[in-house]
């Protein structure tokens, strides 16, 4: 197993020209704004991309990026278990933008998809409200709100999010056919 590293926005910015940057957010989040030169490999596609990532790691350092750092840290742990040395961007693209660095946006993006955290907040809030509202009809429906609360507590304790994993499978969060193959080809030839 290899060692995982973390770079803050300043250090990542100064080394950006020598790093292969992998953005593990959903394609919609990536299109809304990503580090210059970043390649989008969604979190749930890391296993499929492992051979290409290994190949890129043999040629140079890899920086894994997400919105806040939680998903990229998870990917770095997974890659370390497979013998791939990587670094994560502390604070993710949020910290990058807060430090005053530019985010690139996909030119073909006709609309901006909400970030995963925002999608989770909307879904959790809607489910809680539905549970409360339906609980007026029958008290058993209040279990919906309780389940969401339990899920959020579990998510916090484990630094994972089952709701985000489910939402990532929605069509607007999935790569277009061929996009991942093109990204992996770029990674192999990078």
């Amino acid at each position: 197993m290899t060692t995982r590293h973390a770079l803050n926005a300043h250090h990542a910015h100064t080394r950006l020209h020598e790093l292969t940057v992998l953005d593990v957010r959903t394609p919609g989040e990536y299109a809304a704004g990503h580090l210059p030169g970043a390649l989008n490999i969604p979190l749930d596609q890391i296993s499929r991309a492992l051979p290409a990532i290994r190949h890129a790691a043999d040629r140079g350092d890899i920086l894994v990026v997400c919105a806040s750092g939680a998903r990229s840290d998870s990917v770095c742990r997974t890659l370390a278990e497979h013998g791939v040395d990587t670094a994560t961007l502390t604070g993710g693209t949020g910290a990058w933008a807060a430090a005053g660095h530019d985010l690139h946006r996909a030119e073909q993006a006709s609309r901006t998809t909400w970030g995963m955290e925002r999608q989770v907040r909307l879904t959790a809030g809607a489910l809680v409200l539905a549970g409360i509202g339906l609980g007026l009809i029958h008290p058993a429906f209040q279990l919906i709100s309780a389940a969401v609360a339990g899920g959020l507590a579990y998510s916090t304790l484990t630094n994972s999010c089952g709701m985000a994993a489910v939402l990532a499978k929605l069509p607007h969060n999935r790569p277009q056919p061929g996009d991942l193959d093109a990204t992996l080809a770029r990674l192999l030839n990078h």
Side-chain angles (χ1 to χ4, degrees):
M1 185 146 85
T2 62
T3 306
R4 294 184 331 261
H5 309 280
L7 294 176
N8 64 31
H10 172 73
H11 288 111
H13 186 261
T14 60
R15 295 192 54 211
L16 194 59
H17 65 282
E18 63 189 55
L19 297 169
T20 298
V21 181
L22 304 180
D23 191 319
V24 298
R25 298 175 299 156
T26 66
E29 291 175 292
Y30 172 83
H34 56 272
L35 273 67
L39 301 172
N40 185 220
I41 302 177
L43 175 67
D44 64 344
Q45 298 295 315
I46 292 298
S47 295
R48 178 175 169 207
L50 188 57
I53 295 170
R54 261 198 194 108
H55 183 76
D58 289 342
R59 292 189 322 268
D61 293 337
I62 294 182
L63 178 66
V64 182
V65 179
C66 68
S68 66
R71 286 179 277 181
S72 60
D73 189 53
S74 171
V75 168
C76 286
R77 277 194 308 273
T78 299
L79 293 174
E81 291 169 1
H82 288 91
V84 180
D85 191 28
T86 58
T88 184
L89 177 62
T90 305
T93 55
W96 179 269
H101 304 304
D102 287 336
L103 290 173
H104 288 203
R105 286 164 177 60
E107 294 175 16
Q108 74 273 15
S110 59
R111 62 179 173 77
T112 301
T113 300
W114 288 356
M116 187 55 65
E117 183 181 340
R118 187 175 182 191
Q119 292 180 51
V120 167
R121 288 192 317 254
L122 173 71
T123 305
L127 287 171
V128 167
L129 286 174
I132 292 170
L134 292 171
L136 298 173
I137 297 169
H138 191 281
F141 284 114
Q142 292 175 351
L143 292 174
I144 295 170
S145 299
V148 171
L152 290 172
Y154 178 79
S155 162
T156 301
L157 293 173
T158 62
N159 200 25
S160 65
C161 185
M163 189 179 292
V166 171
L167 291 172
K169 297 190 182 313
L170 293 175
H172 66 276
N173 286 324
R174 304 293 309 151
Q176 297 298 316
D179 283 356
L180 184 59
D181 292 332
T183 298
L184 295 178
R186 284 182 58 203
L187 186 57
L188 287 168
N189 297 317
H190 197 266

